[in-house]
Amino acid sequence: MDFGVVLQTNPPASRVIQLAQLAEAHGFSHVWTFDSHLLWEEPYVIYSAILAATRRVTVGPFVTNPATRDWTVTASVFATLNEMYGNRTICGIGRGDSAVRVTNGRPASMAELRESIHVIRELANSRAVDYKGATLRFPWSTGSQLDVWVAAYGPMALALTGQVADGFILQLADLDIAEWMIGTVRAAAAEAGRDPDTIAFCVAAPMYIGTDRAHMIEQCRWFGGMVGNHVADIVAKYGPSTGSRTGVPAALTDYIAGRTGYDYNTHGRTENDHVDFVPDEIVERFCILGTADEHIAKLERLRALGVTQFAGYLQHDNKEETLRVYGERVIPALRDHVTAKA
């Protein structure tokens, strides 16, 4: 299993770069960031600085969307970073949440998401692509490599992921929901004639090493609110009986019954004051909290479901200690063990 860390690009940017360096030092392979241009600083500028300050980590958005940037511009950024730093980028993409809603926009349609994945991936892999009636290619790009991973929750998005994505991003660590969603993506891939084993499966959730249960839950309750935004879209599309009609687990949809609104000014932050509807049980199910042994136990169960990367959100008050314990205890426990002498 690979390990990533998910950061917000809050100022100063030097702090984000410092955390990225620390993550690399502790054995994390990926550094992801939010991509929401009004709420946080521009991530792609910071990626360049992270790549210059590190040697191995792969960087990318968690997640970008097709609406706020022209797709060819997005592809150009990745191809440029790859030329500068040697193919150390990755693209996480979804329909769009805070980046589009803060500007009173709308999430992209499934057709737009599908086409954007194709255009970005072809151009950023130094290939030609048909776009708006013309065949386009970066004449300066050779040998660029970019995988595109799709963040999804609903049935249509999960099917699209299985059909076209290099990887699937599931932003919660609930074991039952993960099993259903991974199975749905794998089935869609097989139906499309793809080998499901070629798809990466990334589970992302807050990771907090500690022993004070109540404090950890309060530090991570914001995450249930963020997930609730996407669940609310599913319920709005399919109705309140979503679980029985689409197969979406009731554990994902029932908890938003008390949701009355959402303030994007505190999106993704521990001080979010619109998440009282999120019960403690959901925080526990969606996140990974507790001692190193508790983290290892849950991650082993996720790995058994087919998860190939865990990306831990680091939006809380115990960042350095969590990274340290992951580096010293958790990541080594999930590695393949090789003996010096058989």
Side-chain angles (χ1 to χ4, degrees):
M1 180 184 282
D2 290 332
F3 288 84
V5 62
V6 186
L7 306 174
Q8 287 174 347
T9 54
N10 294 304
S14 58
R15 170 65 167 158
V16 183
I17 298 162
Q18 178 192 48
L19 288 170
Q21 291 175 304
L22 191 59
E24 180 180 70
H26 285 305
F28 289 80
S29 61
H30 289 68
V31 174
W32 305 90
T33 78
F34 287 50
D35 178 9
S36 194
H37 56 289
L38 284 174
L39 299 182
W40 297 286
E41 292 185 316
E42 174 57 34
Y44 294 95
V45 177
I46 296 174
Y47 295 158
S48 190
I50 290 173
L51 290 166
T54 57
R55 293 185 300 162
R56 297 181 305 277
V57 290
T58 296
V59 304
F62 214 83
V63 296
T64 193
N65 68 84
T68 54
R69 309 174 195 270
D70 184 272
W71 308 339
T72 63
V73 174
T74 298
S76 180
V77 171
F78 286 116
T80 300
L81 290 173
N82 283 341
E83 187 278 323
M84 294 174 67
Y85 300 107
N87 290 329
R88 290 168 57 201
T89 66
I90 190 167
C91 179
I93 193 168
R95 294 179 60 214
D97 183 31
S98 65
V100 295
R101 297 187 197 271
V102 171
T103 58
N104 293 327
R106 61 167 182 83
S109 68
M110 290 298 169
E112 290 168 334
L113 178 58
R114 181 187 297 272
E115 186 181 2
S116 72
I117 292 166
H118 175 66
V119 170
I120 292 168
R121 182 163 50 202
E122 294 306 294
L123 287 174
N125 280 280
S126 303
R127 297 189 291 260
V129 69
D130 292 333
Y131 180 64
K132 295 184 177 180
T135 300
L136 305 179
R137 185 169 185 171
F138 298 139
W140 45 265
S141 176
T142 58
S144 177
Q145 297 175 17
L146 181 77
D147 280 353
V148 181
W149 293 10
V150 177
Y153 290 102
M156 293 176 64
L158 292 170
L160 181 149
T161 302
Q163 292 159 7
V164 304
D166 298 306
F168 167 46
I169 295 171
L170 171 57
Q171 295 175 79
L172 54 82
D174 181 275
L175 293 164
D176 294 335
I177 296 171
E179 181 175 19
W180 177 78
M181 289 193 173
I182 289 171
T184 301
V185 171
R186 292 178 68 88
E191 188 174 345
R194 302 181 67 200
D195 180 358
D197 291 336
T198 63
I199 300 173
F201 291 94
C202 175
V203 159
M207 56 178 181
Y208 195 121
I209 294 288
T211 57
D212 186 339
R213 216 75 193 174
H215 180 73
M216 290 187 291
I217 288 172
E218 286 308 314
Q219 285 284 301
C220 298
R221 198 180 302 278
W222 65 268
F223 185 68
M226 187 184 79
V227 173
N229 295 333
H230 301 284
V231 175
D233 286 343
I234 297 172
V235 172
K237 182 176 180 62
Y238 296 103
S241 57
T242 297
S244 61
R245 294 177 56 195
T246 67
V248 177
L252 181 60
T253 58
D254 287 354
Y255 85 97
I256 70 162
R259 183 179 184 270
T260 58
Y262 191 81
D263 183 2
Y264 278 93
N265 287 308
T266 53
H267 179 66
R269 302 182 187 276
T270 56
E271 65 268 26
N272 191 315
D273 57 359
H274 284 65
V275 294
D276 291 344
F277 69 93
V278 181
D280 291 359
E281 178 191 3
I282 286 294
V283 181
E284 291 271 14
R285 293 183 65 166
F286 284 11
C287 304
I288 304 185
L289 313 175
T291 65
D293 288 340
E294 288 176 296
H295 283 245
I296 291 166
K298 189 165 186 178
L299 288 166
E300 285 179 336
R301 295 181 67 185
L302 286 168
R303 183 172 62 175
L305 295 177
V307 174
T308 58
Q309 181 178 145
F310 171 66
Y313 284 89
L314 210 60
Q315 285 71 57
H316 55 63
D317 60 3
N318 200 31
K319 297 177 178 64
E320 282 86 356
E321 178 65 5
T322 295
L323 289 174
R324 182 190 70 79
V325 174
Y326 260 74
E328 295 182 4
R329 291 281 313 280
V330 179
I331 293 176
L334 273 295
R335 285 200 188 110
D336 292 332
H337 295 284
V338 178
T339 58
K341 183 177 180 180

